[in-house]
Amino acid sequence: MNASTPQPGWISYAIPAVVILVVLALRWRRLGRARPLKVERLWIVPALYLVIAALGFWRFPPVGLGWLWCLIALGAGAALGWQRGRLMRISVDPVTHEVSQSASPATMVFVLVLILIRSGVRNAEALGGPAFHVDVAMLTDVLIAFALGLLSAQRTEMWLRARRLIGQARAGVAPEV
């Protein structure tokens, strides 16, 4: 009887890969469809997440360098969120001034790259590569800060652009491409 540590089998890679591919395929089908964008409601998700993050940080504050890592994650999330917001297509009907949004294929590629990076780090550890030993509480704090930056910056960029496009539509100016 061999008491060695079991190595992950191919099935442990295949199942998540199939699930991710199915989800991405379903998202890809709906990618070009325009959906109404309620500009006045873009603040709700970041505000709710800010409350959740603030309660989490108040109840279990980061310690030591955890604060620095959270600030770095907040900035990185904001940069990526701003870019993701820029990748969203926003259009305004010139007659009714109704705003709609649709995700571009670049948005899907962006999400896929993030998934691949995460999978690569995870697989490197599973296959005996460099282990990234981190404090779970600190990792959670960092991910909360990252998500807050991502959501807030994405929605802010979309709000600013939608407001500009609405103003141009009301003034009868052709929208900038």
Side-chain angles (χ1 to χ4, degrees), residues 80-103:
L80 290 174
W82 194 268
Q83 183 60 35
R84 186 164 188 248
R86 287 185 54 218
L87 294 174
M88 302 296 270
R89 293 183 189 145
I90 298 175
S91 59
V92 179
D93 185 286
V95 177
T96 63
H97 300 148
E98 290 181 9
V99 183
S100 61
Q101 73 169 353
S102 60

Side-chain angles (χ1 to χ4, degrees), residues 9-38:
W10 67 271
I11 197 81
S12 65
Y13 298 111
I15 292 173
V18 168
V19 170
I20 290 170
L21 288 175
V22 168
V23 169
L24 289 176
L26 292 174
R27 295 276 303 174
W28 191 268
R29 283 184 20 188
R30 296 183 296 178
L31 197 59
R33 292 186 195 157
R35 296 185 323 246
L37 176 64
K38 304 294 183 193

Side-chain angles (χ1 to χ4, degrees), residues 23-176:
V23 169
L24 289 176
L26 292 174
R27 295 276 303 174
W28 191 268
R29 283 184 20 188
R30 296 183 296 178
L31 197 59
R33 292 186 195 157
R35 296 185 323 246
L37 176 64
K38 304 294 183 193
V39 178
E40 64 278 0
R41 294 184 187 165
L42 284 173
W43 66 274
I44 294 173
V45 170
L48 287 174
Y49 198 77
L50 176 63
V51 169
I52 292 168
L55 287 173
F57 286 140
W58 174 71
R59 179 73 175 104
F60 302 105
V63 293
L65 286 177
W67 284 110
L68 176 64
W69 286 112
C70 286
L71 286 174
I72 291 170
L74 182 69
L80 290 174
W82 194 268
Q83 183 60 35
R84 186 164 188 248
R86 287 185 54 218
L87 294 174
M88 302 296 270
R89 293 183 189 145
I90 298 175
S91 59
V92 179
D93 185 286
V95 177
T96 63
H97 300 148
E98 290 181 9
V99 183
S100 61
Q101 73 169 353
S102 60
S104 73
T107 303
M108 187 63 70
V109 171
F110 179 79
V111 171
L112 183 60
V113 166
L114 290 177
I115 290 170
L116 290 174
I117 289 170
R118 181 179 180 273
S119 298
V121 170
R122 194 170 172 198
N123 290 338
E125 286 181 1
L127 296 173
F132 300 100
H133 300 287
V134 295
D135 177 15
V136 175
M138 185 175 75
L139 181 61
T140 303
D141 293 339
V142 166
L143 291 175
I144 288 171
F146 180 83
L148 178 62
L150 185 96
L151 292 171
S152 299
Q154 177 186 353
R155 300 290 179 117
T156 300
E157 197 285 331
M158 290 172 65
W159 180 80
L160 289 171
R161 193 157 31 109
R163 298 297 299 167
R164 182 175 41 92
L165 291 172
I166 291 169
Q168 290 174 351
R170 288 184 178 151
V173 177
E176 298 173 17

